[in-house]
Amino acid sequence: MIMSDANPYALLFEPIQIGPVTARNRFYQVPHCTGLGHLRPRADAAVRGMKAEGGWAVVSNQETEIHPTSDLSPYAEGRLWDGRDVPALRLMTDAVHAHGALAAIQLVHNGNHAQNLLTRAPVLAPSEMSVDTTHPKQAQAMDKADIWEFRRWHREAALRAKDAGFDIIYVYAGHNMTLAQHFMLPHMNQRSDEYGGSLENRVRLTRELLEDTHEAVGDSCAVALRFAIDEMVGADGMQAAEEGRAVVELLADLPDLWDVNVADWSNDSATTRFQPEDGYQNAFLSHVKQITRKPVVGVGRLTSPDMMLSMVKKGIVDLIGAARPSIADPFIPKKIEEGRIDEIRECIGCNICVSSDNLGIPIRCTQNPTMGEEWRRGWHPEIIAPKKSEAEALVIGGGPAGLECAMQIARRGYQVTLAEASAEFGGRVAKESRLPGLAAWSRVVDYRLNDLKQRGNVQLFTDSRLDGDQVAELGVEHVFVATGSRWRTDGMGRNTQRRMPHIEQSARVLTPDDIMNGILPPNGPVMIYDDDHIYLAGVIAEKLAAAGYPVVFVTPESLVSAYAVHTLEQPRIQARLIELGIDIRCNQVLTAVEGDMARIGCAFTGREASIPCASAVLVTERHRETALYDSLRGIGLKTLELIGDAASPGLIVDAVFAGHRAARDFERPKAEADKDWFRREIVDLEET
C-alpha cells in the first residue's frame, strides 16, 4: 500500500526541478560503470531500465567517451565518438523513459587516465606527464588549439546526447580521472597561461565546458557538474574547506545540478571495512548548499531511509545519490514509498561491483544476483517464475548459496525445507562477518533469513546434520546440496600445486576455519601464509595482531591481499597491517613448517630463509564438502544439485549467484537450460 503524504518519508518523494526538467522524487542514481557499456548496450539499457522501474527519478549511465583520444579500452564504458553511437545510447534512454524517469549521461575526456590502447591516439593532459597506470606511455601537454578542439568535441557530444534522448548532461570533473578536474589540480597543471596558475585560471576550462553545454542543449536538457570537492590527501591536494569550496563559489549557479563527491575512486567508493558508516561523505559536502541555489546530490553508500531523510532535512542535499546501493537493490525507492523497508537488500560495501569494472567484466553484486542479468538471462530482482508443480524441495546447508536457493524456490511457491547442520544459519558469511571490519556482510544472511521467516511454505531447521539415509527417509525428491567447503591444512594452493611434505599436522597448523571457530594459536609468533590473495588472510592477520600475537605475513604475491586492488582497498589493507606492526614478507613461497620454524623460499630465485613461529595459519585452497552429495547420487532423486562452495569454492557473490540460478532452473528441462547460457550481443556483419 502506498504511504500517505503524512508518512515520515514523504519528503523524499517530492519532485525536484533541475534546470528545464523535473525529477519525480529525490532518488538519483548517480553515474556508475557496469562493464557492459558500448560493447553490450542492450544489457546496459536493461540495467538502467530496472532502476527506473524501481522508482529512481534520475538514472545515469557510466562515463561516456567523447572522442578517440579518450579511449578506455579494454574497459567497456559508454561511447559517443560520433553519431553512429547514438542508437545504442537511445536504447538506454528509451528504457529509462518507459518508467517515467529522467536519463542522465556522463560525458568524459579522461586525459592521462586514458591510455588509448585501441585507437593509439596521443594522450592529452594539461601538462607533460606519464599516464596514470603502469603502461609505458606519456601524455602531451595540450596547447590552445587542443583545448579549443576539446571544447568542440564536448559540445558536439552534448548535442549527440540530446539527440539520443538524454535529459541531463554532465560535465565531469571527478575521481582524478578527467581532463576538467586535471586542469583544476595544481599538481597536474603546471601551465603558465590563462589555463594555469591561479585557481580561477585552473577552473576556466570547466567553466567553459559548462557554458558551452548550456548554450548547446540548455534549452531542453539540464547541465550537471560532477565535482570531486576533496582529494583526501590533505594539503597536497584539493580540500573541501579550501580550494574545493572556492570552486563551488566560482561556479555557484552555473550548473543546473551539483553532483558532489570525493576523490579518488577508492575514497568515493570506500568499502565498509574502512568506512563502515552510511553517509560518510557528508562532512565534505555539507557546505555546498550554503553557496549555490541549485540542487545538490551527494552519495556515501546510503542505505538507511532515516539517514536519507535526515540529510534532506538538514539541508545537506536535495537529492539522494546512490550507485552501489542502487545496484544491491534497484527497488529501494519503491520499497520506501510502499512501506516495505524491511525488504531492502542493503549494500554490504564489499565492492564486488567495482572489481567487475576493474576486471573488464559485466557487473555483479553479492546481494543482488540478478544485477547484469536483466537482459542476458531475463532475470528480475523482484519477480521470479511461479512454480510448475506441487513438488517439494529440500535445501541442505544454510550458507549464502543455500539461503538464496531456498528463498527463491519459496518465492516461486514451492514447499521448501532448509536444513543447517550448525546452530546458526549463514555458513561462511556468519563467521566472516565477525572478523574485523566485515560486520556489514551479515546483511547477506539477515535479508534472506528475514524473507524466509515470513513465508508459510518454508520450514527452517538448525542443528540438523543429515546423512544419506535420513534424506531418503524424508521422501523429498528434489534436493539441493549446499554443504560448503573447508580450508586445507596441507599448504596446497595457487603457488604450491602439491601437498607440502614438511607440514606437521598438529595444533600448531591452523586454518581460517579454526580461527573463525574460536580456536586461537598457542602463545608466540604466528606465521600467516596467504596463497589465496583475496581478503581473508589480511583480516585474520589483523584479528591476531589486535589480540597481541606477533604476526609474520607471508605471501607469494608482491602485495598483501593482491586481489583487493580490484576492490580499491589493497593500499588500505597493507597500510593497516604495517600500522599493526605485522612483519610482511612478500614474494615468498612456504616450503615447510617443522618444529618451531617455517621455511620460505623466494618466489623468483628459490633462495630459502627460516622464520621462527609457534604456529602457522594456512590460507591456501579449500576442500569441497561433497560426502553427502556423493551418498545421494544413487538413490533415484528427481533433482540432485550441488551448489555454492560445495560445487566450486569462490567468493560469496559466486555462492549467492549459484543458489539463485539453481532456483530459477528448478524444474526447467536440463537440455533447455544448457542450450543457451544467456543472450549475447553479436555484431551483425551484414548491417555493418
Side-chain angles (χ1 to χ4, degrees):
M1 181 174 68
I2 303 295
M3 289 178 168
S4 71
D5 288 342
N7 86 79
Y9 303 111
L11 182 61
L12 299 178
F13 294 92
E14 292 180 347
I16 299 293
Q17 189 75 23
I18 306 172
V21 299
T22 303
R24 61 187 176 186
N25 60 43
R26 296 180 185 267
F27 291 92
Y28 192 112
Q29 182 247 284
V30 297
H32 73 77
C33 303
T34 62
L36 301 168
H38 67 88
L39 290 180
R40 305 173 186 90
R42 291 177 178 84
D44 194 56
V47 168
R48 311 300 180 178
M50 192 65 71
K51 307 283 190 75
E53 183 182 341
W56 297 87
V58 179
V59 179
S60 309
N61 75 341
Q62 58 259 298
E63 56 181 349
T64 303
E65 306 163 6
I66 64 171
H67 191 265
T69 55
S70 182
D71 161 33
L72 291 168
S73 299
Y75 304 101
E77 313 295 358
R79 184 166 287 174
L80 194 48
W81 291 358
D82 57 43
R84 290 170 294 181
D85 295 309
V86 167
L89 289 168
R90 194 174 287 125
L91 293 173
M92 176 202 154
T93 59
D94 287 348
V96 169
H97 292 156
H99 297 285
L102 301 176
I105 184 170
Q106 182 172 248
L107 302 181
V108 68
H109 193 296
N110 291 96
N112 81 321
H113 182 68
Q115 301 174 62
N116 298 339
L117 297 179
L118 174 66
T119 63
R120 305 179 78 171
V123 178
L124 303 178
S127 305
E128 303 285 327
M129 63 184 67
S130 299
V131 297
D132 74 348
T133 67
T134 55
H135 193 74
K137 196 172 187 178
Q138 289 188 207
Q140 65 182 47
M142 297 169 68
D143 60 22
K144 299 285 184 61
D146 293 325
I147 292 173
W148 180 258
E149 282 293 277
F150 167 48
R151 290 177 58 188
R152 181 176 66 82
W153 300 335
H154 197 281
R155 177 189 176 92
E156 290 178 354
L159 289 167
R160 290 192 290 270
K162 177 182 177 180
D163 185 38
F166 286 97
D167 308 286
I168 300 173
I169 297 175
Y170 268 87
V171 172
Y172 180 18
H175 295 115
N176 290 5
M177 293 180 181
T178 77
L179 266 182
Q181 186 189 17
H182 296 166
F183 268 80
M184 289 187 194
L185 304 176
H187 57 89
M188 298 188 73
N189 183 344
Q190 305 296 319
R191 305 175 71 94
S192 58
D193 60 8
E194 65 267 37
Y195 288 95
S198 69
L199 178 62
E200 187 169 3
N201 280 356
R202 287 182 274 121
V203 174
R204 185 183 306 277
L205 180 59
T206 299
R207 175 184 293 278
E208 290 172 344
L209 293 174
L210 288 167
E211 291 170 345
D212 292 345
T213 308
H214 266 297
E215 182 182 342
V217 300
D219 59 329
S220 57
C221 300
V223 179
L225 174 61
R226 196 176 203 190
F227 172 54
I229 198 167
D230 200 301
E231 291 184 272
M232 301 187 70
V233 292
D236 290 335
M238 183 170 286
Q239 300 178 80
E242 303 294 338
E243 282 201 340
R245 180 186 182 97
V247 171
V248 180
E249 292 171 344
L250 286 169
L251 301 176
D253 293 332
L254 188 51
D256 294 316
L257 172 87
W258 282 88
D259 179 345
V260 185
N261 58 10
V262 296
D264 61 4
W265 190 16
S266 65
N267 294 316
D268 184 31
S269 294
T271 61
T272 49
R273 183 172 172 185
F274 296 97
Q275 284 285 3
E277 300 298 324
D278 292 358
Y280 61 88
Q281 296 194 33
N282 285 354
F284 298 97
L285 60 95
S286 58
H287 60 273
V288 176
K289 270 186 59 60
Q290 301 169 17
I291 301 169
T292 180
R293 294 174 295 177
K294 299 301 177 71
V296 175
V297 58
V299 295
R301 204 178 52 253
L302 302 169
T303 62
S304 164
D306 291 325
M307 172 64 78
M308 299 173 189
L309 187 66
S310 173
M311 289 172 63
V312 175
K313 284 185 172 180
K314 290 179 178 178
I316 298 173
V317 296
D318 300 285
L319 296 119
I320 301 300
R324 291 174 294 172
S326 76
I327 294 166
D329 196 335
F331 278 69
I332 286 176
K334 278 200 171 182
K335 289 177 180 179
I336 295 174
E337 186 177 22
E338 296 172 1
R340 298 186 289 126
I341 293 170
D342 63 334
E343 296 180 24
I344 293 174
R345 279 187 306 276
E346 291 184 278
C347 171
I348 68 171
C350 64
N351 276 9
I352 288 300
C353 55
V354 171
S355 73
S356 301
D357 183 65
N358 282 325
L359 289 165
I361 57 177
I363 192 170
R364 56 210 59 198
C365 174
T366 299
Q367 278 283 59
N368 177 12
T370 70
M371 176 51 53
E373 304 296 344
E374 298 86 350
W375 181 84
R376 296 206 312 166
R377 286 185 164 93
W379 289 0
H380 190 290
E382 304 298 315
I383 300 171
I384 191 168
K387 65 182 182 180
K388 292 186 175 182
S389 72
E390 297 303 315
E392 297 182 20
L394 170 64
V395 180
I396 303 171
L403 285 169
E404 177 69 19
C405 182
M407 181 181 72
Q408 298 297 345
I409 291 176
R411 284 180 172 181
R412 294 185 63 184
Y414 293 98
Q415 291 290 325
V416 180
T417 299
L418 176 60
E420 165 58 36
S422 72
E424 65 175 348
F425 289 106
R428 62 179 290 192
V429 176
K431 295 177 180 179
E432 291 183 19
S433 64
R434 290 193 278 267
L435 293 170
L438 304 186
W441 294 22
S442 62
R443 295 173 179 177
V444 174
V445 179
D446 295 343
Y447 167 74
R448 288 159 179 80
L449 205 52
N450 178 67
D451 184 281
L452 286 163
K453 287 179 177 178
Q454 310 306 313
R455 298 185 180 276
N457 58 332
V458 176
Q459 296 185 85
L460 301 171
F461 297 97
T462 55
D463 294 308
S464 300
R465 186 177 297 278
L466 301 177
D467 59 27
D469 292 338
Q470 291 169 321
V471 173
E473 287 175 11
L474 290 173
V476 180
E477 295 182 309
H478 303 278
V479 179
F480 298 86
V481 180
T483 43
S485 62
R486 69 183 188 280
W487 288 92
R488 302 181 72 114
T489 60
D490 56 12
M492 192 167 177
R494 283 181 172 82
N495 288 274
T496 307
Q497 292 297 312
R498 60 185 182 278
R499 293 180 180 86
M500 292 184 192
H502 301 296
I503 288 190
E504 293 183 355
Q505 303 302 309
S506 68
R508 295 180 55 259
V509 176
L510 305 175
T511 70
D513 294 319
D514 296 320
I515 304 300
M516 290 187 289
N517 288 331
I519 300 172
L520 293 177
N523 292 332
V526 180
M527 183 209 66
I528 295 176
Y529 181 58
D530 182 15
D531 204 9
D532 176 55
H533 314 304
I534 306 176
Y535 58 86
L536 197 55
V539 177
I540 289 173
E542 183 176 341
K543 175 182 174 67
L544 295 180
Y549 288 91
V551 177
V552 181
F553 189 99
V554 178
T555 177
E557 283 286 340
S558 58
L559 298 171
V560 169
S561 302
Y563 182 87
V565 167
H566 303 304
T567 57
L568 305 181
E569 56 188 337
Q570 192 285 324
R572 286 185 169 93
I573 294 172
Q574 193 143 348
R576 174 73 57 83
L577 299 196
I578 292 170
E579 290 164 358
L580 289 169
I582 292 171
D583 180 3
I584 298 172
R585 310 282 185 94
C586 293
N587 301 315
Q588 299 292 322
V589 177
L590 180 66
T591 58
V593 179
E594 297 178 300
D596 59 356
M597 302 291 289
R599 286 209 310 272
I600 58 176
C602 173
F604 302 105
T605 68
R607 185 180 299 120
E608 288 200 337
S610 295
I611 298 175
C613 63
S615 58
V617 180
L618 306 183
V619 190
T620 55
E621 289 183 351
R622 286 175 275 174
H623 283 293
R624 297 183 297 122
E625 296 280 19
T626 63
L628 177 59
Y629 173 80
D630 294 338
S631 72
L632 297 174
R633 298 183 72 173
I635 68 171
L637 296 172
K638 290 183 179 178
T639 300
L640 177 61
E641 187 167 350
L642 192 64
I643 60 175
D645 286 343
S648 179
L651 293 166
I652 296 168
V653 64
D654 302 313
V656 173
F657 179 85
H660 190 91
R661 185 179 180 193
R664 293 262 182 184
D665 286 346
F666 180 38
E667 291 205 302
R668 181 184 179 194
K670 189 175 188 323
E672 177 185 328
D674 289 345
K675 182 180 178 182
D676 191 5
W677 278 62
F678 47 75
R679 299 165 74 188
R680 293 185 293 150
E681 302 194 41
I682 300 174
V683 174
D684 187 331
L685 293 178
E686 290 186 6
E687 289 186 7
T688 303

